[in-house]
């Protein structure tokens, strides 16, 4: 049977499964866990262990139709400036909560569009964070950059505050695709942005691409890949387009008849992956690529690749403190998400409380399954020996799921005495394999396509 027919018979093209950027996934979170749990967990952090910090900027000047990120449009800076004021208040609350001496090993600004901030607000925000959680010597500071919403002055401000990694949004360079997703972005503008970043001393660049977009076909994607390679990024994220109009209403502007069908989608992903491999990139997890000397590739080779809300990371900080509307913190006790809507977030902070609105307290079983799923998503290999070292004999409780995976996916997974591995020809099934180890089926949760 042809590979595509096998994948189809295994249900790949019909499956809707989580992307497992956390376990449990966000639909499992409940309002029973909130600001009080958040404050207790933050106060109990070990000040000698650096943390990661994520800051969400939920504003964009343009609202691209394909985008599923939590953001809102604005044509003026007034709401953005006011939001930075709220972030400063949130930081003041954190200062009263965190143990003195805590340092920051990583900081990431995402959105929305962090580069909507003018230089003065970039400095204000960066300095407010550093005043509360000072960076370690080798702190990595990365920012999501929209090439159409940035200039040299903003890049200089970010670099002066310590930005040493940048992630640029590209999606696709084809004008027909760009028009169909409501995001016009000329190649020249993107190239100029890359040159400005490099001139400012930012040498680590990631490029975000998306496959499965309207009107995308092999020729168009080939051309986009060639242009991306010309920009010589260190990392590439190639996300499958998540068409979730029930969550992201602006996606209703996308004509579903122009979306590539499931098999075409799969072939587009394969095509891009092949081109990146030929260009010398290592394949990382299900949807990232990195030059062999990049930190992500190194982490993948040495078993240190991790998965969090930003996707694949080489971040060793176990704790992630999320600031801003909708941000999720990963704390030693579990997850807490700030109020998702900006007005609700602002209201909580102005009332003098942390903004945690829902979350989940991890049980021992959650911790074990979270690590097992992370191993599958990062290493394509679940290793009971390693899990036993961390979790003791409880790890053997996963044997039933391992056997079920082998029964369900046949020789597209490899079952050993203590291991379950996914060989290259089964990699497209990774999220479905991970799903077998998920102990929750949240009511009403709807996920994006597995392929
Ligand atoms: C916060 S956004 C991008 C940052 C910046 N605002 C920009 O547009 O360049 C982060 C990334 O999420 C990805 N993304 C957004 N919506 C998506 C969707 N529906 N399916 C797959 N990936 C998506 C895109 O690749 C995007 O670059
Ligand atoms: S892709 Fe970027 S600019 Fe476009 S709506 Fe999403 S966050 Fe905003």
């Amino acid at each position: 049977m042809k590979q595509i027919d096998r994948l189809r018979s295994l249900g790949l093209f019909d499956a809707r499964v989580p992307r497992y950027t956390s376990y449990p996934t966000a639909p499992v979170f409940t309002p029973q866990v909130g600001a009080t749990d958040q404050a207790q967990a933050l106060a109990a952090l070990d000040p000698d262990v650096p943390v990661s910090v994520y800051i969400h900027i939920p504003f964009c000047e343009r609202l691209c139709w394909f985008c599923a990120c939590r953001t809102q449009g604005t044509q003026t800076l007034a709401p953005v400036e006011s939001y930075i004021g709220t972030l400063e208040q949130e930081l003041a609350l954190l200062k009263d909560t965190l143990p003195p001496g805590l340092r920051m090993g990583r900081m990431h600004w995402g959105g929305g569009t962090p580069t909507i901030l003018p230089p003065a607000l970039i400095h204000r925000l960066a300095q407010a964070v550093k005043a509360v959680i000072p960076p370690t010597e080798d702190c990595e500071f990365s920012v999501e950059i929209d090439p159409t919403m940035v200039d040299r002055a903003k890049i200089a401000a970010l670099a002066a505050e310590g930005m040493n990694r940048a992630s640029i949004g590209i999606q696709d360079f084809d004008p027909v695709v760009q028009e169909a997703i409501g995001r016009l972005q000329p190649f020249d503008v993107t190239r100029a942005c890359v040159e400005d970043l490099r001139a400012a001393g930012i040498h680590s660049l990631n490029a975000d691409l998306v496959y499965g977009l309207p009107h995308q076909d092999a020729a168009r994607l080939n051309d986009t890949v060639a242009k991306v390679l010309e920009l010589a990024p260190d990392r590439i994220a190639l996300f499958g387009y998540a068409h979730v109009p029930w969550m992201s209403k602006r996606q209703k502007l996308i004509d579903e008849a122009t979306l590539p069908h499931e098999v075409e989608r799969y072939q587009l992903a394969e095509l891009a992956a092949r081109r990146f491999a030929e260009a010398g990139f290592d394949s990382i997890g299900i949807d990232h690529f990195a030059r062999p000397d990049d930190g992500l590739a190194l982490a993948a080779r040495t078993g240190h690749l991790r998965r969090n809300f930003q996707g694949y990371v080489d971040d060793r900080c176990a704790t992630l403190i999320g600031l801003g509307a909708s941000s999720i913190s990963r704390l030693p006790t579990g997850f807490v998400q700030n109020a998702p809507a900006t007005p609700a977030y602002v209201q909580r902070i102005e009332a003098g409380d942390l903004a945690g609105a829902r979350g989940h307290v991890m049980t021992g079983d959650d911790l074990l399954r979270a690590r097992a799923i992370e191993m599958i998503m990062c290493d394509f290999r679940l290793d009971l020996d390693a899990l036993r070292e961390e979790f003791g004999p409880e790890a053997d409780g996963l044997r039933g799921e391992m056997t079920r995976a082998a029964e369900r996916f046949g020789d597209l997974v490899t079952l050993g005495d203590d291991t379950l591995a996914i060989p290259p020809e089964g990699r497209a099934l990774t999220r479905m394999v991970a799903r077998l180890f998920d102990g929750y089926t949240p009511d009403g949760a709807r996920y994006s396509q597995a392929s």
Side-chain angles (χ1 to χ4, degrees), residues 64-82:
C64 316
W65 304 344
F66 81 100
C67 181
C69 300
R70 233 173 231 290
T71 188
Q72 62 204 69
T74 178
Q75 297 306 313
T76 72
L77 277 177
V80 182
E81 183 156 13
S82 154

Side-chain angles (χ1 to χ4, degrees), residues 66-69 111-113 144 146 169 171 183 208 210 239-240 242 251:
F66 81 100
C67 181
C69 300
T113 304
E144 287 171 19
D146 177 350
Q171 329 315 340
R183 179 188 172 99
D208 279 352
V210 176
F239 300 118
Q251 290 186 347

Side-chain angles (χ1 to χ4, degrees), residues 149-389:
M149 227 12 250
V150 75
D151 56 27
R152 285 188 188 151
K154 292 179 182 184
I155 291 175
L158 288 165
E161 292 299 343
M163 173 175 76
N164 44 24
R165 281 182 189 279
S167 177
I168 52 171
I170 292 178
Q171 329 315 340
D172 191 301
F173 278 124
D174 186 88
V176 173
V177 176
Q178 289 191 354
E179 196 169 299
I181 61 171
R183 179 188 172 99
L184 298 182
Q185 181 174 331
F187 178 62
D188 289 350
V189 170
T190 311
R191 184 171 46 199
C193 167
V194 168
E195 283 166 4
D196 289 345
L197 285 164
R198 293 226 162 93
I202 314 303
H203 293 296
S204 179
L205 290 185
N206 172 74
D208 279 352
L209 301 182
V210 176
Y211 70 87
L213 291 173
H215 296 294
Q216 224 175 26
D217 60 20
R220 291 190 164 119
L221 188 60
N222 244 320
D223 191 52
T224 288
V225 167
K227 289 193 165 85
V228 169
L229 292 174
E230 216 179 290
L231 301 175
D234 306 86
R235 297 179 185 176
I236 297 162
L238 175 70
F239 300 118
Y241 171 51
H243 189 61
V244 286
W246 58 89
M247 262 170 54
S248 185
K249 303 276 180 256
R250 53 186 171 262
Q251 290 186 347
K252 290 189 175 151
L253 293 165
I254 289 190
D255 177 1
E256 292 185 353
T258 61
L259 292 173
H261 62 68
E262 279 83 352
V263 173
E264 280 171 338
R265 230 178 110 92
Y266 170 79
Q267 288 167 333
L268 288 170
E270 292 284 291
L271 166 82
R274 200 165 52 245
R275 295 280 315 268
F276 294 137
E278 283 163 9
F281 283 81
D282 284 0
S283 167
I284 311 291
I286 59 166
D287 53 13
H288 280 49
F289 302 85
R291 293 195 180 286
D293 58 352
D294 179 85
L296 209 56
L298 196 68
R301 282 200 299 277
T302 55
H304 291 106
L305 190 65
R306 292 287 176 266
R307 189 151 172 85
N308 72 14
F309 301 106
Q310 288 142 40
Y312 288 103
V313 291
D314 54 352
D315 182 358
R316 297 207 185 181
C317 303
T319 294
L320 173 70
I321 300 179
L323 297 175
S326 81
S327 289
I328 300 176
S329 296
R330 187 185 59 212
L331 303 166
T333 46
F335 297 102
V336 182
Q337 179 172 27
N338 279 356
T342 305
Y345 157 75
V346 171
Q347 202 178 26
R348 281 171 189 256
I349 297 294
E350 284 184 348
D353 286 329
L354 290 173
R358 47 204 296 273
H360 181 82
V361 174
M362 297 293 269
T363 64
D365 185 61
D366 291 335
L367 291 167
L368 169 65
R369 287 177 189 275
R371 184 67 194 117
I373 287 175
E374 189 178 43
M375 278 178 166
I376 294 169
M377 297 296 294
C378 292
D379 312 329
F380 303 113
R381 190 170 192 278
L382 190 154
D383 182 346
L384 277 188
D385 250 353
L387 285 174
R388 249 183 249 117
E389 257 178 48

